[in-house]
Short mmCIF file of all heavy atoms in Angstrom, two decimals:
data_model
loop_
_atom_site.label_atom_id
_atom_site.label_comp_id
_atom_site.label_asym_id
_atom_site.label_seq_id
_atom_site.Cartn_x
_atom_site.Cartn_y
_atom_site.Cartn_z
N ILE A 1 -15.66 -7.47 -12.72
CA ILE A 1 -14.96 -6.43 -11.95
C ILE A 1 -14.30 -5.48 -12.94
O ILE A 1 -13.52 -5.91 -13.79
CB ILE A 1 -13.90 -7.05 -11.02
CG1 ILE A 1 -14.56 -7.99 -10.00
CG2 ILE A 1 -13.10 -5.95 -10.29
CD1 ILE A 1 -13.59 -8.76 -9.13
N PRO A 2 -14.62 -4.18 -12.88
CA PRO A 2 -14.05 -3.24 -13.85
C PRO A 2 -12.51 -3.21 -13.79
O PRO A 2 -11.93 -3.35 -12.71
CB PRO A 2 -14.63 -1.88 -13.42
CG PRO A 2 -15.84 -2.21 -12.62
CD PRO A 2 -15.55 -3.52 -11.95
N GLU A 3 -11.89 -3.03 -14.94
CA GLU A 3 -10.41 -3.03 -15.03
C GLU A 3 -9.80 -2.02 -14.08
O GLU A 3 -8.81 -2.30 -13.39
CB GLU A 3 -9.97 -2.72 -16.46
CG GLU A 3 -9.99 -3.88 -17.43
CD GLU A 3 -9.09 -5.04 -17.00
OE1 GLU A 3 -7.99 -4.79 -16.48
OE2 GLU A 3 -9.51 -6.19 -17.18
N GLU A 4 -10.40 -0.81 -14.03
CA GLU A 4 -9.81 0.26 -13.22
C GLU A 4 -9.94 0.00 -11.71
O GLU A 4 -9.31 0.69 -10.89
CB GLU A 4 -10.45 1.62 -13.56
CG GLU A 4 -11.92 1.75 -13.25
CD GLU A 4 -12.83 1.27 -14.38
OE1 GLU A 4 -12.33 0.55 -15.28
OE2 GLU A 4 -14.02 1.61 -14.35
N THR A 5 -10.73 -1.01 -11.33
CA THR A 5 -10.93 -1.32 -9.91
C THR A 5 -10.11 -2.53 -9.47
O THR A 5 -9.93 -2.76 -8.28
CB THR A 5 -12.43 -1.60 -9.64
OG1 THR A 5 -13.22 -0.57 -10.25
CG2 THR A 5 -12.77 -1.62 -8.16
N LYS A 6 -9.56 -3.28 -10.43
CA LYS A 6 -8.93 -4.57 -10.11
C LYS A 6 -7.74 -4.44 -9.16
O LYS A 6 -7.59 -5.24 -8.23
CB LYS A 6 -8.51 -5.28 -11.40
CG LYS A 6 -9.68 -5.96 -12.11
CD LYS A 6 -9.24 -6.76 -13.31
CE LYS A 6 -10.45 -7.48 -13.93
NZ LYS A 6 -10.09 -8.20 -15.17
N ASN A 7 -6.89 -3.43 -9.34
CA ASN A 7 -5.73 -3.27 -8.46
C ASN A 7 -6.16 -3.01 -7.02
O ASN A 7 -5.60 -3.55 -6.06
CB ASN A 7 -4.82 -2.13 -8.95
CG ASN A 7 -4.05 -2.51 -10.20
OD1 ASN A 7 -3.90 -3.70 -10.49
ND2 ASN A 7 -3.60 -1.53 -10.95
N LEU A 8 -7.18 -2.16 -6.87
CA LEU A 8 -7.71 -1.84 -5.54
C LEU A 8 -8.32 -3.08 -4.90
O LEU A 8 -8.12 -3.34 -3.70
CB LEU A 8 -8.76 -0.73 -5.68
CG LEU A 8 -9.09 0.10 -4.44
CD1 LEU A 8 -7.85 0.84 -3.93
CD2 LEU A 8 -10.19 1.10 -4.76
N VAL A 9 -9.06 -3.84 -5.70
CA VAL A 9 -9.67 -5.08 -5.20
C VAL A 9 -8.59 -6.06 -4.73
O VAL A 9 -8.68 -6.63 -3.63
CB VAL A 9 -10.56 -5.74 -6.28
CG1 VAL A 9 -11.00 -7.15 -5.86
CG2 VAL A 9 -11.78 -4.87 -6.57
N ASN A 10 -7.54 -6.23 -5.54
CA ASN A 10 -6.46 -7.15 -5.17
C ASN A 10 -5.77 -6.71 -3.88
O ASN A 10 -5.47 -7.53 -3.01
CB ASN A 10 -5.42 -7.24 -6.30
CG ASN A 10 -5.98 -7.96 -7.52
OD1 ASN A 10 -6.91 -8.77 -7.39
ND2 ASN A 10 -5.44 -7.68 -8.70
N GLU A 11 -5.56 -5.39 -3.75
CA GLU A 11 -4.89 -4.85 -2.56
C GLU A 11 -5.71 -5.13 -1.30
O GLU A 11 -5.19 -5.65 -0.30
CB GLU A 11 -4.68 -3.34 -2.73
CG GLU A 11 -4.07 -2.66 -1.51
CD GLU A 11 -4.14 -1.14 -1.60
OE1 GLU A 11 -4.35 -0.60 -2.71
OE2 GLU A 11 -4.01 -0.49 -0.53
N TYR A 12 -7.01 -4.81 -1.34
CA TYR A 12 -7.85 -4.96 -0.15
C TYR A 12 -8.20 -6.42 0.12
O TYR A 12 -8.38 -6.80 1.29
CB TYR A 12 -9.11 -4.08 -0.26
CG TYR A 12 -8.84 -2.67 0.19
CD1 TYR A 12 -8.35 -1.72 -0.70
CD2 TYR A 12 -9.02 -2.29 1.52
CE1 TYR A 12 -8.07 -0.43 -0.29
CE2 TYR A 12 -8.74 -1.01 1.94
CZ TYR A 12 -8.27 -0.07 1.04
OH TYR A 12 -7.98 1.20 1.46
N ARG A 13 -8.29 -7.23 -0.94
CA ARG A 13 -8.57 -8.65 -0.72
C ARG A 13 -7.37 -9.33 -0.06
O ARG A 13 -7.53 -10.17 0.83
CB ARG A 13 -8.93 -9.32 -2.04
CG ARG A 13 -9.44 -10.75 -1.83
CD ARG A 13 -10.16 -11.30 -3.04
NE ARG A 13 -10.92 -12.47 -2.64
CZ ARG A 13 -10.43 -13.72 -2.63
NH1 ARG A 13 -9.18 -13.94 -3.02
NH2 ARG A 13 -11.18 -14.73 -2.24
N THR A 14 -6.16 -8.95 -0.50
CA THR A 14 -4.95 -9.50 0.11
C THR A 14 -4.87 -9.14 1.59
O THR A 14 -4.57 -9.97 2.44
CB THR A 14 -3.68 -8.99 -0.62
OG1 THR A 14 -3.78 -9.36 -2.00
CG2 THR A 14 -2.42 -9.58 -0.02
N LYS A 15 -5.19 -7.86 1.91
CA LYS A 15 -5.20 -7.42 3.31
C LYS A 15 -6.21 -8.23 4.12
O LYS A 15 -5.95 -8.62 5.27
CB LYS A 15 -5.57 -5.93 3.39
CG LYS A 15 -4.47 -4.97 2.99
CD LYS A 15 -4.99 -3.54 3.13
CE LYS A 15 -3.95 -2.53 2.66
NZ LYS A 15 -4.48 -1.14 2.71
N LEU A 16 -7.38 -8.46 3.52
CA LEU A 16 -8.45 -9.20 4.21
C LEU A 16 -8.01 -10.62 4.52
O LEU A 16 -8.17 -11.11 5.64
CB LEU A 16 -9.71 -9.21 3.34
CG LEU A 16 -10.93 -9.95 3.90
CD1 LEU A 16 -11.46 -9.26 5.15
CD2 LEU A 16 -12.03 -10.04 2.85
N ILE A 17 -7.41 -11.30 3.52
CA ILE A 17 -6.99 -12.69 3.72
C ILE A 17 -5.83 -12.77 4.70
O ILE A 17 -5.77 -13.68 5.54
CB ILE A 17 -6.64 -13.34 2.35
CG1 ILE A 17 -7.91 -13.44 1.50
CG2 ILE A 17 -6.04 -14.72 2.55
CD1 ILE A 17 -7.68 -13.88 0.08
N GLU A 18 -4.90 -11.80 4.63
CA GLU A 18 -3.79 -11.78 5.58
C GLU A 18 -4.31 -11.64 7.01
O GLU A 18 -3.88 -12.35 7.92
CB GLU A 18 -2.86 -10.60 5.27
CG GLU A 18 -1.87 -10.86 4.15
CD GLU A 18 -1.01 -9.64 3.85
OE1 GLU A 18 -1.14 -8.63 4.56
OE2 GLU A 18 -0.21 -9.71 2.91
N GLY A 19 -5.23 -10.70 7.19
CA GLY A 19 -5.80 -10.47 8.53
C GLY A 19 -6.55 -11.69 9.03
O GLY A 19 -6.48 -12.05 10.20
N THR A 20 -7.27 -12.36 8.11
CA THR A 20 -8.01 -13.56 8.48
C THR A 20 -7.06 -14.67 8.91
O THR A 20 -7.30 -15.36 9.90
CB THR A 20 -8.87 -14.04 7.29
OG1 THR A 20 -9.74 -12.99 6.88
CG2 THR A 20 -9.68 -15.27 7.65
N ALA A 21 -5.97 -14.82 8.16
CA ALA A 21 -4.99 -15.89 8.44
C ALA A 21 -4.38 -15.72 9.83
O ALA A 21 -4.07 -16.72 10.50
CB ALA A 21 -3.91 -15.89 7.37
N GLU A 22 -4.23 -14.48 10.27
CA GLU A 22 -3.63 -14.22 11.58
C GLU A 22 -4.52 -14.67 12.73
O GLU A 22 -4.07 -14.79 13.87
CB GLU A 22 -3.31 -12.73 11.72
CG GLU A 22 -2.15 -12.28 10.84
CD GLU A 22 -1.98 -10.77 10.84
OE1 GLU A 22 -2.71 -10.10 11.60
OE2 GLU A 22 -1.11 -10.28 10.10
N GLU A 23 -5.81 -14.93 12.43
CA GLU A 23 -6.75 -15.35 13.47
C GLU A 23 -6.59 -16.81 13.86
O GLU A 23 -7.09 -17.24 14.89
CB GLU A 23 -8.19 -15.14 12.97
CG GLU A 23 -8.61 -13.70 12.81
CD GLU A 23 -8.87 -13.02 14.14
OE1 GLU A 23 -9.48 -13.64 15.02
OE2 GLU A 23 -8.44 -11.87 14.29
N SER A 24 -5.89 -17.58 13.01
CA SER A 24 -5.82 -19.02 13.25
C SER A 24 -4.49 -19.57 12.77
O SER A 24 -4.04 -19.24 11.66
CB SER A 24 -6.98 -19.71 12.52
OG SER A 24 -6.70 -21.03 12.20
N ASP A 25 -3.84 -20.42 13.59
CA ASP A 25 -2.57 -21.03 13.20
C ASP A 25 -2.74 -21.90 11.96
O ASP A 25 -1.87 -21.94 11.08
CB ASP A 25 -2.01 -21.88 14.35
CG ASP A 25 -1.57 -21.02 15.53
OD1 ASP A 25 -1.33 -19.82 15.31
OD2 ASP A 25 -1.48 -21.55 16.65
N LEU A 26 -3.89 -22.59 11.90
CA LEU A 26 -4.16 -23.47 10.76
C LEU A 26 -4.26 -22.65 9.47
O LEU A 26 -3.68 -23.02 8.44
CB LEU A 26 -5.46 -24.24 11.00
CG LEU A 26 -5.86 -25.27 9.95
CD1 LEU A 26 -4.86 -26.41 9.92
CD2 LEU A 26 -7.26 -25.80 10.21
N LEU A 27 -5.00 -21.52 9.54
CA LEU A 27 -5.15 -20.67 8.36
C LEU A 27 -3.83 -19.99 8.00
O LEU A 27 -3.54 -19.76 6.82
CB LEU A 27 -6.24 -19.63 8.58
CG LEU A 27 -7.68 -20.13 8.64
CD1 LEU A 27 -8.65 -18.95 8.67
CD2 LEU A 27 -8.02 -21.03 7.46
N LEU A 28 -3.05 -19.65 9.00
CA LEU A 28 -1.76 -19.01 8.75
C LEU A 28 -0.85 -19.95 7.96
O LEU A 28 -0.16 -19.54 7.02
CB LEU A 28 -1.10 -18.61 10.07
CG LEU A 28 0.11 -17.68 9.97
CD1 LEU A 28 -0.23 -16.39 9.23
CD2 LEU A 28 0.66 -17.37 11.35
N ALA A 29 -0.89 -21.24 8.32
CA ALA A 29 -0.09 -22.24 7.60
C ALA A 29 -0.58 -22.36 6.16
O ALA A 29 0.22 -22.43 5.22
CB ALA A 29 -0.19 -23.59 8.31
N LYS A 30 -1.92 -22.36 5.98
CA LYS A 30 -2.47 -22.42 4.62
C LYS A 30 -2.08 -21.18 3.82
O LYS A 30 -1.75 -21.27 2.64
CB LYS A 30 -4.01 -22.51 4.68
CG LYS A 30 -4.53 -23.86 5.12
CD LYS A 30 -6.05 -23.90 5.15
CE LYS A 30 -6.63 -24.12 3.77
NZ LYS A 30 -8.09 -24.38 3.81
N PHE A 31 -2.09 -20.02 4.49
CA PHE A 31 -1.76 -18.76 3.82
C PHE A 31 -0.30 -18.76 3.36
O PHE A 31 0.02 -18.29 2.26
CB PHE A 31 -2.01 -17.58 4.76
CG PHE A 31 -1.67 -16.24 4.17
CD1 PHE A 31 -2.50 -15.64 3.24
CD2 PHE A 31 -0.51 -15.58 4.54
CE1 PHE A 31 -2.19 -14.41 2.69
CE2 PHE A 31 -0.19 -14.34 3.99
CZ PHE A 31 -1.03 -13.76 3.07
N MET A 32 0.58 -19.28 4.21
CA MET A 32 2.02 -19.31 3.86
C MET A 32 2.27 -20.22 2.65
O MET A 32 3.12 -19.93 1.82
CB MET A 32 2.85 -19.79 5.05
CG MET A 32 2.71 -18.92 6.29
SD MET A 32 3.21 -17.22 6.05
CE MET A 32 4.99 -17.38 6.07
N ASN A 33 1.52 -21.31 2.57
CA ASN A 33 1.70 -22.27 1.47
C ASN A 33 1.00 -21.79 0.20
O ASN A 33 1.58 -21.83 -0.88
CB ASN A 33 1.19 -23.65 1.86
CG ASN A 33 2.03 -24.28 2.94
OD1 ASN A 33 3.24 -24.09 2.97
ND2 ASN A 33 1.39 -25.01 3.85
N ASP A 34 -0.25 -21.37 0.36
CA ASP A 34 -1.03 -20.95 -0.81
C ASP A 34 -2.21 -20.08 -0.35
O ASP A 34 -3.22 -20.61 0.12
CB ASP A 34 -1.56 -22.18 -1.57
CG ASP A 34 -2.41 -21.79 -2.77
OD1 ASP A 34 -2.39 -20.60 -3.15
OD2 ASP A 34 -3.11 -22.67 -3.31
N PRO A 35 -2.07 -18.73 -0.45
CA PRO A 35 -3.14 -17.83 0.02
C PRO A 35 -4.50 -18.14 -0.59
O PRO A 35 -5.54 -17.95 0.05
CB PRO A 35 -2.65 -16.45 -0.41
CG PRO A 35 -1.17 -16.59 -0.55
CD PRO A 35 -0.95 -18.00 -1.00
N ASP A 36 -4.52 -18.63 -1.84
CA ASP A 36 -5.79 -18.91 -2.51
C ASP A 36 -6.49 -20.15 -1.97
O ASP A 36 -7.64 -20.43 -2.34
CB ASP A 36 -5.57 -19.06 -4.02
CG ASP A 36 -5.13 -17.76 -4.66
OD1 ASP A 36 -5.52 -16.69 -4.13
OD2 ASP A 36 -4.40 -17.79 -5.67
N SER A 37 -5.80 -20.92 -1.11
CA SER A 37 -6.41 -22.14 -0.59
C SER A 37 -7.38 -21.84 0.57
O SER A 37 -8.14 -22.71 1.00
CB SER A 37 -5.33 -23.12 -0.10
OG SER A 37 -4.65 -22.58 1.02
N ILE A 38 -7.39 -20.60 1.07
CA ILE A 38 -8.33 -20.22 2.12
C ILE A 38 -9.68 -19.92 1.46
O ILE A 38 -9.77 -19.03 0.61
CB ILE A 38 -7.82 -18.99 2.91
CG1 ILE A 38 -6.49 -19.31 3.59
CG2 ILE A 38 -8.85 -18.55 3.95
CD1 ILE A 38 -5.87 -18.14 4.33
N ASP A 39 -10.71 -20.66 1.84
CA ASP A 39 -12.00 -20.51 1.15
C ASP A 39 -12.90 -19.48 1.85
O ASP A 39 -12.59 -18.99 2.94
CB ASP A 39 -12.71 -21.85 0.98
CG ASP A 39 -13.08 -22.50 2.30
OD1 ASP A 39 -13.38 -21.78 3.27
OD2 ASP A 39 -13.08 -23.74 2.36
N GLU A 40 -14.02 -19.19 1.21
CA GLU A 40 -14.96 -18.17 1.69
C GLU A 40 -15.45 -18.45 3.11
O GLU A 40 -15.49 -17.54 3.95
CB GLU A 40 -16.19 -18.09 0.77
CG GLU A 40 -15.97 -17.37 -0.52
CD GLU A 40 -17.26 -17.30 -1.34
OE1 GLU A 40 -18.31 -16.94 -0.76
OE2 GLU A 40 -17.21 -17.62 -2.53
N GLU A 41 -15.83 -19.71 3.37
CA GLU A 41 -16.41 -20.04 4.67
C GLU A 41 -15.41 -19.84 5.80
O GLU A 41 -15.76 -19.44 6.91
CB GLU A 41 -16.94 -21.49 4.67
CG GLU A 41 -18.14 -21.70 3.75
CD GLU A 41 -19.25 -20.68 3.97
OE1 GLU A 41 -19.62 -20.45 5.13
OE2 GLU A 41 -19.75 -20.11 2.98
N GLU A 42 -14.12 -20.13 5.51
CA GLU A 42 -13.08 -19.93 6.54
C GLU A 42 -12.89 -18.44 6.83
O GLU A 42 -12.71 -18.04 7.98
CB GLU A 42 -11.76 -20.55 6.06
CG GLU A 42 -11.78 -22.07 6.08
CD GLU A 42 -10.54 -22.68 5.43
OE1 GLU A 42 -10.08 -22.14 4.39
OE2 GLU A 42 -10.04 -23.68 5.96
#
């Protein structure tokens, strides 16, 4: 991932995971404890 794109990637990936977590109480709990614990398949 190019250096100049990393901040943008982090911003949009965080938004994506936040939005995903809101879809499920189980994922929301995982997100609150450790956002990185939500895997690709989830």
Side-chain angles (χ1 to χ4, degrees):
I1 298 174
E3 279 300 321
E4 64 273 16
T5 312
K6 282 185 177 176
N7 287 340
L8 201 61
V9 170
N10 290 335
E11 177 192 343
Y12 276 87
R13 189 164 196 272
T14 302
K15 284 181 183 176
L16 179 66
I17 294 172
E18 279 178 3
T20 303
E22 289 172 5
E23 291 286 318
S24 154
D25 291 340
L26 184 66
L27 291 188
L28 192 57
K30 286 181 81 171
F31 179 76
M32 300 300 284
N33 292 325
D34 178 13
D36 294 331
S37 66
I38 299 177
D39 64 32
E40 283 182 47
E41 293 309 313
E42 288 172 320

